[in-house]
Amino acid sequence: GRSMIESMTMVFVSLVLIQFFKAYNFRSDHFSIFRKPFANKWLNIAIIWELILLLLVLYVPVLQIPFKTMNVSIIDWIIIVISAMTIIPILESTKWVLRNMSYLKELTCTHAGCWTWLKKVIGIFLLLVGIIALVTPLTPGSWLIFVGLELIGFRLLFVDKIKAYFQKK
């Protein structure tokens, strides 16, 4: 087992890195993170700045005390980076589904009201799965999968209403 400070430090660093990967992924709702990943100069500068601050919090003894962190070994860095990268396939699969919604519509629906009904059923199902995942003790990887599914569900349910609201204005 690991000490409480070591575990908390690894979780802290993992969450920070997950946010970095999400920032790069959220540059576009539809395009992949691998399409010109470092094209946004200001995002790159912000991530580098935040990495410097993270390293200071981890390795400067004066900052380790208030933040309750400790040095992270090379093996721990590998574990942290790999676990943080698990968010990428989740977000990429979400984008893939959103890009291919029109194909799904053509494949499944033959009459006008079918697509609206199908989106709502899928969205409610995915939201319920996400909520169940949040209240059960699943592994972090499973939790990320269900959060990704929950986001798809949220988008399927409300994207048409949000678009209609903004088109009225």
Side-chain angles (χ1 to χ4, degrees):
R2 296 182 182 265
S3 70
M4 181 65 87
I5 290 182
E6 189 176 7
S7 299
M8 288 174 41
T9 300
M10 288 183 69
V11 168
F12 169 67
V13 176
S14 294
L15 291 173
V16 169
L17 293 182
I18 286 170
Q19 295 306 316
F20 292 167
F21 292 129
K22 284 174 63 178
Y24 279 110
N25 208 303
F26 289 157
R27 291 177 312 124
S28 169
D29 283 343
H30 298 302
F31 296 122
S32 172
I33 188 176
F34 303 110
R35 183 179 180 187
K36 299 180 182 180
F38 304 110
N40 187 330
K41 177 180 123 179
W42 295 107
L43 179 60
N44 296 334
I45 291 169
I47 297 290
I48 290 169
W49 172 248
E50 291 176 23
L51 275 173
I52 291 168
L53 293 175
L54 177 64
L55 293 173
L56 289 173
V57 166
L58 294 177
Y59 295 107
V60 174
V62 174
L63 294 174
Q64 286 178 337
I65 296 166
F67 286 99
K68 294 182 174 70
T69 60
M70 59 180 287
N71 295 345
V72 177
S73 70
I74 298 289
I75 299 297
D76 289 343
W77 270 110
I78 292 169
I79 293 168
I80 290 167
V81 169
I82 290 172
S83 66
M85 288 176 68
T86 61
I87 192 72
I88 294 173
I90 306 308
L91 297 173
E92 286 298 310
S93 61
T94 302
K95 288 182 182 183
W96 182 85
V97 167
L98 293 173
R99 281 192 304 262
N100 292 293
M101 290 297 276
S102 60
Y103 176 72
L104 180 64
K105 181 179 179 180
E106 291 171 12
L107 202 65
T108 56
C109 292
T110 54
H111 60 84
C114 172
W115 181 240
T116 304
W117 178 83
L118 183 64
K119 283 195 312 186
K120 288 182 180 177
V121 169
I122 292 170
I124 290 168
F125 172 75
L126 294 177
L127 285 171
L128 290 174
V129 169
I131 291 168
I132 290 168
L134 289 175
V135 297
T136 57
L138 299 171
T139 63
S142 299
W143 183 79
L144 290 172
I145 289 170
F146 287 119
V147 169
L149 292 175
E150 187 175 3
L151 290 173
I152 295 171
F154 177 79
R155 186 156 187 163
L156 288 175
L157 278 176
F158 299 109
V159 73
D160 292 336
K161 291 182 182 182
I162 293 169
K163 282 181 183 177
Y165 174 78
F166 284 109
Q167 286 175 351
K168 288 179 185 178
K169 285 190 163 191

